[in-house]
Each structure stands twice: as C-alpha cells, then as structure tokens.
Amino acid sequence: MEQNEVLKRVIGILTQAGTWIHDLPAADDSDLDTEQGIVSDLLNDVMPVVAIPSNANAEEIASIVSEALGGRILQLTTAFAMAFWELAEVHDTGRTDLSSLDVLQALALRAETEPGA
C-alpha cells in the first residue's frame, strides 16, 4: 500500500475518532466492534502475512517478524505522526479559524493530489 493511501486511511480513522469520543457513553459493545473494524481493516490491508517455519526458534521468529513488519509499522507510524504534526502545528499557532476536521481534510486533499505527501 502506498504511503499516501495509508495516510488517507489514518486520516479517516482520526476523523472517525471524533465520533467515537462523542458517542462513547451512548455506544454499546456492538457499536464499538463495528467502529473498531475500521482500524482492523487498515491493519489487515497494511500488514503482510508472515510465514513462520515450524522449526524456527524464538530468535528466528523475532527476526522474521521484525523484517516482515518493520517497514509497515514505520509506514503507519509516519502517517499518524504526520497527521498529529499537522494538527499540533495549527493548535500551536493559535489558529481558531480552522477546526481539526478542516486540518484533516486539507491533509487528505494533499495526500490525494501530491505524490509522496
């Protein structure tokens, strides 16, 4: 999955998080399971299937998993960090003309139109 696509999916999760927070007291377990499915879907799409040989020892398993998942975890972490930084920067400058949703929408638009955004 390309970094821009991961970033757009992360923005979707962060946007949805606002709804989760506002609806949490009224939500029942089935609502939360449905909402958390968005996060599971992202992880399933980004994370590769890792084949572990049946005779691998703990050290070999750790190495295989680290090699297979390291780049993908970096990709997710980078996307969340970029979104956080955009939100923090607007907050730190004291801008009151932009909501968090405005910032996330602008970031999503950049991810859609700029390669490597």
Side-chain angles (χ1 to χ4, degrees):
M1 184 178 285
E2 296 289 325
Q3 184 65 31
N4 282 359
E5 182 61 29
V6 173
L7 180 58
K8 288 186 286 184
R9 300 277 297 273
V10 163
I11 291 167
I13 289 169
L14 292 173
T15 301
Q16 185 63 42
T19 303
W20 294 341
I21 291 168
H22 296 309
D23 294 346
L24 193 57
D28 63 27
D29 289 342
S30 63
D31 292 337
L32 293 176
D33 290 344
T34 301
E35 300 297 344
Q36 291 170 355
I38 297 167
V39 175
S40 295
D41 289 346
L42 173 62
L43 291 175
N44 289 333
D45 290 346
V46 172
M47 296 299 176
V49 173
V50 179
I52 307 289
S54 61
N55 62 346
N57 63 35
E59 188 174 303
E60 292 167 332
I61 292 170
S63 178
I64 291 167
V65 170
S66 177
E67 186 175 319
L69 301 182
R72 301 302 175 94
I73 292 170
L74 179 62
Q75 194 177 31
L76 280 170
T77 304
T78 299
F80 274 104
M82 287 175 64
F84 173 83
W85 186 255
E86 290 281 335
L87 290 164
E89 191 169 43
V90 168
H91 175 271
D92 290 349
T93 60
R95 294 206 43 196
T96 58
D97 59 319
L98 293 173
S99 69
S100 296
L101 185 57
D102 293 333
V103 175
L104 291 171
Q105 287 173 339
L107 183 57
L109 182 59
R110 276 202 328 263
E112 185 69 33
T113 59
E114 297 176 14

